[in-house]
Protein backbone atom coordinates (compact mmCIF):
# COMPACT_ATOMS: atom_id res chain seq x y z
CA UNK A 1 0.00 0.00 0.00
CA UNK A 2 1.00 3.63 -0.37
CA UNK A 3 1.82 5.85 2.57
CA UNK A 4 -1.53 7.59 2.16
CA UNK A 5 -3.33 4.24 2.20
CA UNK A 6 -1.42 3.35 5.37
CA UNK A 7 -2.61 6.60 6.94
CA UNK A 8 -6.20 6.09 5.80
CA UNK A 9 -6.40 2.53 7.09
CA UNK A 10 -4.35 2.71 10.27
CA UNK A 11 -4.52 6.26 11.64
CA UNK A 12 -4.13 6.26 15.42
CA UNK A 13 -2.58 9.02 17.49
CA UNK A 14 0.05 7.97 20.02
CA UNK A 15 -1.41 7.61 23.50
CA UNK A 16 1.09 10.11 24.90
CA UNK A 17 3.74 12.48 23.63
CA UNK A 18 4.37 16.11 22.81
CA UNK A 19 1.43 18.50 22.22
CA UNK A 20 0.30 19.57 18.76
CA UNK A 21 2.09 22.93 18.96
CA UNK A 22 5.48 21.21 19.09
CA UNK A 23 5.02 18.80 16.17
CA UNK A 24 6.26 19.41 12.64
CA UNK A 25 9.37 20.83 11.01
CA UNK A 26 11.25 23.52 12.91
CA UNK A 27 14.26 25.34 11.49
CA UNK A 28 16.53 27.27 13.77
CA UNK A 29 16.43 31.02 13.16
CA UNK A 30 19.21 31.80 15.64
CA UNK A 31 21.22 30.62 18.61
CA UNK A 32 22.52 33.20 21.07
CA UNK A 33 25.20 32.38 23.60
CA UNK A 34 25.96 33.72 27.06
CA UNK A 35 29.07 35.41 25.63
CA UNK A 36 26.89 37.76 23.57
CA UNK A 37 27.51 36.08 20.19
CA UNK A 38 24.76 34.83 17.83
CA UNK A 39 24.73 32.36 14.91
CA UNK A 40 22.12 33.06 12.22
CA UNK A 41 23.56 30.82 9.54
CA UNK A 42 24.06 27.14 10.48
CA UNK A 43 21.38 24.92 8.94
CA UNK A 44 19.65 23.30 11.92
CA UNK A 45 16.52 21.20 11.32
CA UNK A 46 14.31 19.69 14.02
CA UNK A 47 11.46 17.39 12.99
CA UNK A 48 9.22 16.26 15.84
CA UNK A 49 6.95 13.24 16.04
CA UNK A 50 4.99 12.55 19.21
CA UNK A 51 7.80 10.68 20.95
CA UNK A 52 10.99 11.12 18.95
CA UNK A 53 13.07 13.78 17.24
CA UNK A 54 15.12 13.78 14.04
CA UNK A 55 17.81 16.48 14.06
CA UNK A 56 20.19 17.68 11.32
CA UNK A 57 22.94 20.35 11.58
CA UNK A 58 25.02 21.41 8.58
CA UNK A 59 27.20 24.34 7.53
CA UNK A 60 26.17 26.68 4.73
CA UNK A 61 26.18 25.19 1.22
CA UNK A 62 29.45 26.95 0.35
CA UNK A 63 31.14 25.11 3.25
CA UNK A 64 29.68 21.66 2.52
CA UNK A 65 31.54 19.08 0.46
CA UNK A 66 30.47 18.02 -3.02
CA UNK A 67 29.00 14.61 -3.75
CA UNK A 68 31.85 12.17 -4.44
CA UNK A 69 32.83 8.65 -3.50
CA UNK A 70 34.58 8.34 -0.14
CA UNK A 71 37.92 7.44 -1.72
CA UNK A 72 37.85 10.67 -3.73
CA UNK A 73 37.65 12.97 -0.69
CA UNK A 74 40.76 14.64 0.61
CA UNK A 75 41.65 14.41 4.29
CA UNK A 76 40.35 17.97 4.71
CA UNK A 77 37.03 17.15 3.04
CA UNK A 78 36.62 14.07 5.22
CA UNK A 79 37.04 16.26 8.28
CA UNK A 80 34.24 18.53 7.03
CA UNK A 81 31.97 15.47 6.65
CA UNK A 82 33.01 14.26 10.10
CA UNK A 83 31.81 17.54 11.61
CA UNK A 84 28.25 17.19 10.29
CA UNK A 85 25.59 16.38 12.89
CA UNK A 86 22.51 14.22 12.59
CA UNK A 87 20.60 12.05 15.02
CA UNK A 88 17.33 10.45 16.01
CA UNK A 89 16.40 10.21 19.68
CA UNK A 90 13.39 9.53 21.91
CA UNK A 91 11.86 12.70 23.36
CA UNK A 92 10.05 13.12 26.69
CA UNK A 93 7.82 16.15 27.42
CA UNK A 94 6.91 16.96 31.04
CA UNK A 95 4.81 20.06 30.30
CA UNK A 96 7.69 22.54 30.49
CA UNK A 97 10.85 20.71 29.55
CA UNK A 98 11.70 18.43 26.64
CA UNK A 99 14.44 15.92 27.26
CA UNK A 100 15.98 13.29 25.05
CA UNK A 101 16.80 9.79 26.17
CA UNK A 102 19.89 7.94 25.00
CA UNK A 103 20.25 8.86 21.35
CA UNK A 104 19.04 5.95 19.23
CA UNK A 105 21.30 6.69 16.27
CA UNK A 106 23.80 9.49 15.80
CA UNK A 107 26.52 10.43 13.34
CA UNK A 108 28.67 11.85 16.12
CA UNK A 109 29.90 9.45 18.77
CA UNK A 110 29.38 11.81 21.69
CA UNK A 111 26.41 13.96 22.70
CA UNK A 112 27.15 17.51 21.63
CA UNK A 113 23.86 18.83 23.07
CA UNK A 114 23.39 17.20 26.49
CA UNK A 115 21.02 19.74 28.09
CA UNK A 116 17.20 19.45 28.03
CA UNK A 117 15.06 22.15 26.41
CA UNK A 118 12.86 24.63 28.27
CA UNK A 119 10.29 25.56 25.63
CA UNK A 120 7.69 28.24 25.07
CA UNK A 121 5.96 29.14 21.83
CA UNK A 122 4.46 32.38 20.49
CA UNK A 123 3.13 32.43 16.92
CA UNK A 124 5.53 30.49 14.71
CA UNK A 125 8.46 31.06 17.09
CA UNK A 126 9.45 28.47 19.70
CA UNK A 127 12.04 29.73 22.17
CA UNK A 128 14.35 27.20 23.79
CA UNK A 129 16.40 27.94 26.87
CA UNK A 130 18.75 25.42 28.42
CA UNK A 131 18.97 25.06 32.21
CA UNK A 132 22.56 26.35 32.35
CA UNK A 133 21.56 29.43 30.30
CA UNK A 134 24.67 29.16 28.13
CA UNK A 135 22.50 29.41 24.99
CA UNK A 136 19.03 30.34 23.78
CA UNK A 137 17.59 29.15 20.47
CA UNK A 138 14.79 30.65 18.38
CA UNK A 139 13.07 27.99 16.28
CA UNK A 140 10.60 28.78 13.47
CA UNK A 141 7.83 26.43 12.36
CA UNK A 142 8.17 25.94 8.61
CA UNK A 143 5.05 26.82 6.63
CA UNK A 144 3.07 23.74 5.65
CA UNK A 145 -0.42 23.05 4.45
CA UNK A 146 -2.47 21.03 6.94
CA UNK A 147 -1.61 17.38 6.61
CA UNK A 148 -0.68 14.12 8.22
CA UNK A 149 1.83 13.33 10.95
CA UNK A 150 3.52 9.97 10.61
CA UNK A 151 6.29 8.85 12.95
CA UNK A 152 7.90 5.45 12.39
CA UNK A 153 10.84 4.03 14.37
CA UNK A 154 13.18 2.12 12.04
CA UNK A 155 14.23 -1.22 13.48
CA UNK A 156 16.29 -2.55 10.60
CA UNK A 157 16.91 -2.14 6.87
CA UNK A 158 18.12 -5.28 5.12
CA UNK A 159 18.47 -6.89 1.73
CA UNK A 160 15.71 -9.42 1.08
CA UNK A 161 17.67 -12.09 -0.78
CA UNK A 162 20.81 -12.21 1.38
CA UNK A 163 19.41 -10.93 4.66
CA UNK A 164 22.40 -8.59 4.92
CA UNK A 165 21.70 -5.74 7.33
CA UNK A 166 22.33 -2.32 5.81
CA UNK A 167 21.13 -0.09 8.68
CA UNK A 168 20.02 -0.60 12.27
CA UNK A 169 17.91 2.02 14.02
CA UNK A 170 16.63 5.35 12.78
CA UNK A 171 13.25 6.68 11.84
CA UNK A 172 10.93 8.35 9.36
CA UNK A 173 8.86 11.45 10.12
CA UNK A 174 6.36 12.84 7.61
CA UNK A 175 4.75 16.09 8.75
CA UNK A 176 2.63 17.91 6.19
CA UNK A 177 4.84 19.26 3.41
CA UNK A 178 8.08 18.00 5.00
CA UNK A 179 9.75 14.73 5.91
CA UNK A 180 12.98 13.40 7.38
CA UNK A 181 14.71 10.03 7.30
CA UNK A 182 17.37 8.77 9.71
CA UNK A 183 19.34 5.59 9.01
CA UNK A 184 21.74 4.27 11.65
CA UNK A 185 24.95 2.42 10.97
CA UNK A 186 24.87 -1.35 10.50
CA UNK A 187 25.87 -1.61 14.14
CA UNK A 188 26.41 1.17 16.70
CA UNK A 189 29.96 2.44 17.09
CA UNK A 190 31.36 2.87 20.59
CA UNK A 191 34.56 4.82 21.06
CA UNK A 192 36.11 7.19 23.57
CA UNK A 193 37.48 9.16 20.62
CA UNK A 194 35.35 11.65 18.67
CA UNK A 195 34.32 10.88 15.11
CA UNK A 196 36.81 13.38 13.67
CA UNK A 197 39.72 11.52 15.29
CA UNK A 198 38.50 8.15 13.99
CA UNK A 199 38.07 9.56 10.49
CA UNK A 200 41.58 11.03 10.58
CA UNK A 201 42.97 7.61 11.49
CA UNK A 202 40.88 5.92 8.77
CA UNK A 203 41.83 8.28 5.92
CA UNK A 204 42.92 6.17 2.96
CA UNK A 205 41.27 3.04 4.39
CA UNK A 206 38.02 2.67 2.45
CA UNK A 207 36.53 -0.17 4.50
CA UNK A 208 36.91 1.83 7.74
CA UNK A 209 35.54 5.02 6.18
CA UNK A 210 32.50 3.15 4.86
CA UNK A 211 31.78 1.88 8.35
CA UNK A 212 32.14 5.34 9.90
CA UNK A 213 29.97 7.10 7.30
CA UNK A 214 27.34 4.37 6.89
CA UNK A 215 24.80 6.79 8.33
CA UNK A 216 22.22 9.24 7.02
CA UNK A 217 19.92 11.99 8.15
CA UNK A 218 18.12 13.74 5.30
CA UNK A 219 15.41 16.42 5.34
CA UNK A 220 13.04 16.85 2.41
CA UNK A 221 10.20 19.02 1.13
CA UNK A 222 7.22 17.85 -0.93
CA UNK A 223 7.18 18.94 -4.57
CA UNK A 224 4.17 19.52 -6.82
CA UNK A 225 4.20 15.83 -7.83
CA UNK A 226 3.82 14.80 -4.19
CA UNK A 227 7.37 13.44 -3.80
CA UNK A 228 9.61 14.42 -0.89
CA UNK A 229 12.89 15.71 -2.35
CA UNK A 230 16.02 16.00 -0.22
CA UNK A 231 17.24 19.53 0.42
CA UNK A 232 19.71 18.90 3.26
CA UNK A 233 21.58 15.71 4.14
CA UNK A 234 24.59 14.27 5.92
CA UNK A 235 25.11 12.34 2.66
CA UNK A 236 26.04 14.75 -0.17
CA UNK A 237 25.02 12.21 -2.82
CA UNK A 238 21.43 12.34 -1.54
CA UNK A 239 20.92 16.02 -2.34
CA UNK A 240 17.98 16.64 -4.72
CA UNK A 241 17.06 12.94 -4.71
CA UNK A 242 13.77 11.45 -3.55
CA UNK A 243 13.84 10.89 0.21
CA UNK A 244 12.18 7.48 -0.02
CA UNK A 245 9.45 5.75 -1.98
CA UNK A 246 5.92 6.35 -0.71
CA UNK A 247 4.78 2.83 -1.65
CA UNK A 248 5.39 -0.73 -0.53
CA UNK A 249 3.97 -0.47 3.00
CA UNK A 250 2.13 -3.22 4.85
CA UNK A 251 1.14 -3.76 8.46
CA UNK A 252 2.44 -7.04 9.85
CA UNK A 253 0.45 -9.26 12.25
CA UNK A 254 2.54 -8.04 15.21
CA UNK A 255 1.60 -4.42 14.45
CA UNK A 256 4.91 -3.42 12.96
CA UNK A 257 5.14 -1.87 9.50
CA UNK A 258 7.19 -3.34 6.67
CA UNK A 259 8.17 -1.38 3.59
CA UNK A 260 9.56 -3.22 0.58
CA UNK A 261 11.62 -1.10 -1.80
CA UNK A 262 14.53 -1.21 -4.24
CA UNK A 263 17.79 0.38 -3.07
CA UNK A 264 20.93 0.43 -5.20
CA UNK A 265 19.26 -2.06 -7.53
CA UNK A 266 18.54 -4.57 -4.74
CA UNK A 267 15.22 -5.62 -3.22
CA UNK A 268 15.24 -4.43 0.39
CA UNK A 269 12.89 -4.15 3.32
CA UNK A 270 12.58 -1.73 6.20
CA UNK A 271 10.89 -2.82 9.42
CA UNK A 272 9.34 -0.05 11.51
CA UNK A 273 7.53 0.29 14.82
CA UNK A 274 4.76 2.89 14.89
CA UNK A 275 5.10 5.97 17.05
CA UNK A 276 2.06 7.73 15.62
CA UNK A 277 -0.03 7.82 12.45
CA UNK A 278 -2.33 10.84 12.31
CA UNK A 279 -4.41 11.89 9.33
CA UNK A 280 -4.64 15.62 9.98
CA UNK A 281 -2.78 18.35 11.84
CA UNK A 282 -3.09 22.05 11.13
CA UNK A 283 0.59 23.06 11.56
CA UNK A 284 -0.76 26.50 12.41
CA UNK A 285 1.56 29.51 12.41
CA UNK A 286 -0.45 31.12 15.20
CA UNK A 287 -0.97 30.50 18.92
CA UNK A 288 -4.03 31.33 21.06
CA UNK A 289 -4.07 34.32 23.43
CA UNK A 290 -6.65 35.62 25.96
CA UNK A 291 -9.35 38.05 24.82
CA UNK A 292 -7.70 40.90 26.71
CA UNK A 293 -4.46 40.42 24.81
CA UNK A 294 -6.35 40.32 21.51
CA UNK A 295 -8.07 43.59 22.42
CA UNK A 296 -4.70 45.21 23.25
CA UNK A 297 -3.29 44.10 19.89
CA UNK A 298 -6.29 45.47 17.99
CA UNK A 299 -6.08 48.77 19.87
CA UNK A 300 -2.40 49.25 19.13
CA UNK A 301 -2.36 47.73 15.63
CA UNK A 302 -1.50 50.98 13.90
CA UNK A 303 2.02 50.83 15.31
CA UNK A 304 2.36 47.10 15.97
CA UNK A 305 1.71 46.22 12.31
CA UNK A 306 3.99 48.79 10.68
CA UNK A 307 6.67 46.37 9.51
CA UNK A 308 5.43 42.82 10.05
CA UNK A 309 6.85 39.82 8.17
CA UNK A 310 6.60 36.06 8.55
CA UNK A 311 10.07 34.76 9.44
CA UNK A 312 10.89 31.11 8.77
Amino acid sequence: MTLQELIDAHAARAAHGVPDWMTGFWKRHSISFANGMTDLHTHVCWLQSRNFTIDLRLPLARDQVAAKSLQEYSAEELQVLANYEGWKAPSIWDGTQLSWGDTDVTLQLHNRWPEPALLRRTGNSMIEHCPSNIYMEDWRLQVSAPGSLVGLHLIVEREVASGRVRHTGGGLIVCGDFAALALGRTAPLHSDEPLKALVASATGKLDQLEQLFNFEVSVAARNTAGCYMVGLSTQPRRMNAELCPLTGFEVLPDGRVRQTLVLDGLACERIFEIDTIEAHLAYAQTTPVPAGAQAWYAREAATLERYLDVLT
Side-chain angles (χ1 to χ4, degrees), residues 13-20 23 48-51 91-93 275:
R13 175 172 169 161
H16 55 80
V18 306
D20 288 358
T23 58
Q48 184 64 46
S49 183
R50 291 294 175 187
N51 294 286
S91 49
I92 303 167
W93 173 244
D275 175 41

Side-chain angles (χ1 to χ4, degrees), residues 28 30 54 80 88 117 128 132 142 146 161 172 198 236 249 271 277 301 310:
R28 194 176 74 189
S30 64
I54 294 178
V80 173
K88 177 256 181 180
E128 173 187 348
S132 73
Q142 300 303 287
L172 174 67
L198 295 181
F249 293 95
I271 305 298
I277 298 177
V310 175

Side-chain angles (χ1 to χ4, degrees), residues 42-155:
T42 301
H43 289 295
V44 184
C45 304
W46 169 359
L47 285 89
Q48 184 64 46
S49 183
R50 291 294 175 187
N51 294 286
F52 73 93
T53 300
I54 294 178
D55 187 282
L56 174 63
R57 298 168 187 246
L58 299 175
L60 293 174
R62 68 183 185 222
D63 298 319
Q64 297 175 29
V65 297
K68 294 188 284 189
S69 59
L70 282 173
Q71 61 263 36
E72 293 180 285
Y73 286 121
S74 67
E76 292 76 16
E77 289 173 318
L78 287 171
Q79 285 299 299
V80 173
L81 275 178
N83 217 17
Y84 289 0
E85 296 178 70
W87 45 266
K88 177 256 181 180
S91 49
I92 303 167
W93 173 244
D94 69 2
T96 301
Q97 177 175 284
L98 187 70
S99 58
W100 290 270
D102 292 337
T103 304
D104 284 4
V105 293
T106 176
L107 178 59
Q108 297 298 322
L109 304 183
H110 69 288
N111 186 357
R112 288 183 169 179
W113 303 91
E115 296 199 52
L118 303 171
L119 298 172
R120 187 165 183 175
R121 179 177 166 185
T122 299
N124 74 339
S125 173
M126 185 164 65
I127 301 299
E128 173 187 348
H129 287 273
C130 64
S132 73
N133 208 36
I134 196 170
Y135 63 80
M136 181 274 288
E137 292 177 285
D138 182 352
W139 299 89
R140 301 300 172 116
L141 182 64
Q142 300 303 287
V143 177
S144 171
S148 60
L149 173 65
V150 177
L152 301 176
H153 300 280
L154 178 67
I155 307 304

Side-chain angles (χ1 to χ4, degrees), residues 130-192:
C130 64
S132 73
N133 208 36
I134 196 170
Y135 63 80
M136 181 274 288
E137 292 177 285
D138 182 352
W139 299 89
R140 301 300 172 116
L141 182 64
Q142 300 303 287
V143 177
S144 171
S148 60
L149 173 65
V150 177
L152 301 176
H153 300 280
L154 178 67
I155 307 304
V156 66
E157 174 189 296
R158 59 187 167 225
E159 296 169 6
V160 173
S162 67
R164 185 178 77 88
V165 172
R166 296 163 58 101
H167 295 282
T168 300
L172 174 67
I173 295 176
V174 178
C175 46
D177 291 329
F178 303 101
L181 177 68
L183 300 173
R185 296 179 177 91
T186 303
L189 293 179
H190 302 288
S191 173
D192 293 331

